[in-house]
Amino acid sequence: SAPVRVALDMPGRPEITLGRVDFEAWLYAAAASRAGIATIPRAVGRALQGDYRDVARNVAAARAPTAWSLTPIAFNCSAGLSIGRAEQLLVESELAVLRYVPSAMLNAVCRGWPAPRLPTDFRYPIESNVDILAVVGTLDLHTSLEAVEEALEGLPRATVVTVEGAARGEDLLVE
């Protein structure tokens, strides 16, 4: 609901303001690994009682300045996500547990990205006879099922497995 201010015991950052998207993004990030999953019950339990410190520490760490390369962002915005794919993700994400969270940040960046999208003839077919297994989630922001099928056209021994409601790198799918 409404954003909350949380006092922190971190040097250089006495407090932080958390909003709904911060909480959802933290939950998504925590759910990406078994260690993170183990922290969810305690943090959510405390948050339900009004103590957001566990979540706030993680959000503050995630907001810390880092030296990111713009290369993957430029690639994903120019070649990876079409306007149609972004709209499809919004519709499909309503059925997912964390809704739009896995792709929200990149979607927002790509909407404002100044570089033009690469033309469809930018990609060229690859041919090979090796065995290939491609796994794609229906909520994968980076690689749609259509893009995987297109990439595998020249690979007669390729198999595609589609996971409904999954994004990229979801540790929850691994037993």
Side-chain angles (χ1 to χ4, degrees):
S1 59
V4 294
R5 289 199 131 145
V6 181
L8 294 174
D9 53 0
M10 298 173 68
R13 192 175 276 263
E15 73 176 18
I16 189 170
T17 301
L18 297 177
R20 178 183 56 85
V21 172
D22 290 314
F23 192 85
E24 290 175 349
W26 162 78
L27 186 57
Y28 177 73
S33 71
R34 300 213 185 278
I37 292 168
T39 69
I40 293 173
R42 174 183 156 170
V44 170
R46 287 182 170 185
L48 289 172
Q49 296 176 0
D51 180 357
Y52 294 92
R53 287 176 296 175
D54 290 341
V55 176
R57 282 187 206 98
N58 287 292
V59 169
R63 288 184 187 172
T66 58
W68 284 22
S69 168
L70 289 179
T71 302
I73 295 172
F75 174 79
N76 283 315
C77 293
S78 296
L81 182 66
S82 69
I83 300 298
R85 177 71 176 141
E87 291 170 358
Q88 178 186 4
L89 279 171
L90 286 174
V91 171
E92 290 178 3
S93 65
E94 289 301 318
L95 305 174
V97 175
L98 292 175
R99 298 187 352 221
Y100 61 88
V101 173
S103 58
M105 192 176 313
L106 188 56
N107 264 334
V109 169
C110 289
R111 277 195 301 276
W113 191 254
R117 298 203 185 278
L118 295 172
T120 53
D121 62 355
F122 171 77
R123 295 179 178 96
Y124 59 89
I126 298 172
E127 295 181 8
S128 176
N129 284 322
V130 294
D131 292 324
I132 294 176
L133 174 62
V135 180
V136 62
T138 58
L139 296 179
D140 187 333
L141 172 68
H142 305 284
T143 311
S144 67
L145 177 58
E146 293 80 16
V148 169
E149 290 171 342
E150 177 186 335
L152 299 178
E153 284 178 1
L155 305 167
R157 295 176 59 180
T159 301
V160 178
V161 175
T162 304
V163 182
E164 293 294 326
R168 178 174 288 220
E170 290 192 20
D171 191 86
L172 293 174
L173 300 174
V174 179
E175 268 296 304

